[in-house]
Amino acid sequence: MADSELSPKFAPFLGMGGIAAAMIFGSAGAAYGTAKSGIGIAGVGTFRPDLIMKCLIPVVMSGIIAVYSLVISVLIAQDLMPPSGTESHYSLFNGFMHLACGLSVGLTGLAAGYCIGIVGDKGVRSYMLQSRIFVGMVLILIFGEVLGLYGLIVALILNTKSKG
Amino acid sequence: MATKRIISQEKSILEKDNHIGSSPAASEKSNIAPAVPASVIFKLLAFTFGMIVIPIGSYYVTVDNLFSGNSTYAGALAAIMANVVLIGYILVAMAEDQSDREEEKRKEGKKDK
């Protein structure tokens, strides 16, 4: 395998790191969001079991964050392939770009999951006492969720540059 | 003789087990209605299944058929489909709350009459 300046041997390492970062950080955020809001839902469910269905919204949103990470990981993984022949086709640019994709979707997912966890926990407990909080809680959750969506958009746009 | 009386009146553990084997509701009245109605459980299962299958499934279905290999559009579609599932869940949860309130109102109305 020829080791050129633009596509060195270690370039795939960065792309793999991007995949791992997307999945690890995104899942960490989703796990925090699910667990923290799950604590709140368990607390609410003992008093008002009829509210559980509506209180599960933060959990669904945390799941979506994991889906974002999954989509980006699949996209990056499709661009990666083992070097065949004498030329290494995976450039250093692609490696860094995939690392940026993974980090952007992973760390924004972590931020969004953290936000959803705290808002979900407190919001669900407050919703038990005051039903008008629900619309506000869902709005705040959506704005928290959008943080992860921005990371996904950036990652998708970055990923289009690999074809050139 | 006291011991005999106890044996004749109370059921032993083995006899109690027999009821659990067949149908507990048939012989004795116990509140076995689930705390969560079956429709809610079906909805939750449907949304769980949808959350797992729809985004990643829509990606793989459309990446080659609809977008002819452009994985960016397919990825964006997967993210959109995940949000569609979320919106659907919120709508269903809202509808559930409204139906609960209507039922309560109906019950209260019957009590008033």
Side-chain angles (χ1 to χ4, degrees), chain B residues 2-53:
Chain B
T3 50
K4 261 192 179 176
R5 221 181 294 150
I6 291 171
I7 290 170
S8 62
Q9 282 175 354
E10 288 188 13
K11 287 174 183 171
S12 70
I13 296 169
L14 284 172
E15 282 171 325
K16 281 179 183 173
D17 274 348
N18 286 340
H19 289 291
I20 296 168
S22 58
S23 169
S27 57
E28 46 190 72
K29 269 197 175 180
S30 62
N31 187 12
I32 56 152
V36 183
S39 64
V40 174
I41 293 173
F42 277 125
K43 273 179 207 164
L44 286 180
L45 280 180
F47 276 107
T48 308
F49 186 73
M51 205 64 211
I52 295 167
V53 170

Side-chain angles (χ1 to χ4, degrees), chain A residues 53 56 64 68 78 134 152, chain B residues 51 59 79 83 89 94 97:
Chain A
M53 184 83 178
L56 278 174
I64 288 179
Y68 291 164
Q78 282 189 339
F134 182 73
L152 177 82
Chain B
M51 205 64 211
Y59 174 84
N83 281 291
Y89 183 85
M94 297 280 263
D97 186 54

Side-chain angles (χ1 to χ4, degrees), chain B residues 26-92:
Chain B
S27 57
E28 46 190 72
K29 269 197 175 180
S30 62
N31 187 12
I32 56 152
V36 183
S39 64
V40 174
I41 293 173
F42 277 125
K43 273 179 207 164
L44 286 180
L45 280 180
F47 276 107
T48 308
F49 186 73
M51 205 64 211
I52 295 167
V53 170
I54 288 176
I56 203 73
S58 67
Y59 174 84
Y60 280 113
V61 167
T62 57
V63 69
D64 285 329
N65 297 328
L66 191 61
F67 298 119
S68 60
N70 190 341
S71 54
T72 304
Y73 289 146
L77 182 78
I80 290 168
M81 291 313 288
N83 281 291
V84 166
V85 173
L86 171 73
I87 292 167
Y89 183 85
I90 292 177
L91 289 179
V92 166

Side-chain angles (χ1 to χ4, degrees), chain A residues 45-125:
Chain A
T46 52
F47 295 107
R48 293 284 304 278
D50 52 317
L51 293 182
I52 291 178
M53 184 83 178
K54 288 173 87 175
C55 292
L56 278 174
I57 288 173
V59 175
V60 179
M61 287 189 160
S62 301
I64 288 179
I65 291 174
V67 170
Y68 291 164
S69 306
L70 182 71
V71 166
I72 291 301
S73 293
V74 169
L75 281 183
I76 300 176
Q78 282 189 339
D79 287 351
L80 285 171
M81 55 188 70
S84 57
T86 55
E87 276 287 313
S88 166
H89 295 292
Y90 194 74
S91 65
L92 188 59
F93 176 83
N94 276 0
F96 279 123
M97 191 200 60
H98 287 154
L99 185 63
C101 282
L103 281 177
S104 66
V105 81
L107 290 177
T108 53
L110 188 62
Y114 190 73
C115 172
I116 288 174
I118 292 174
V119 173
D121 185 18
K122 283 291 171 187
V124 155
R125 285 174 197 275

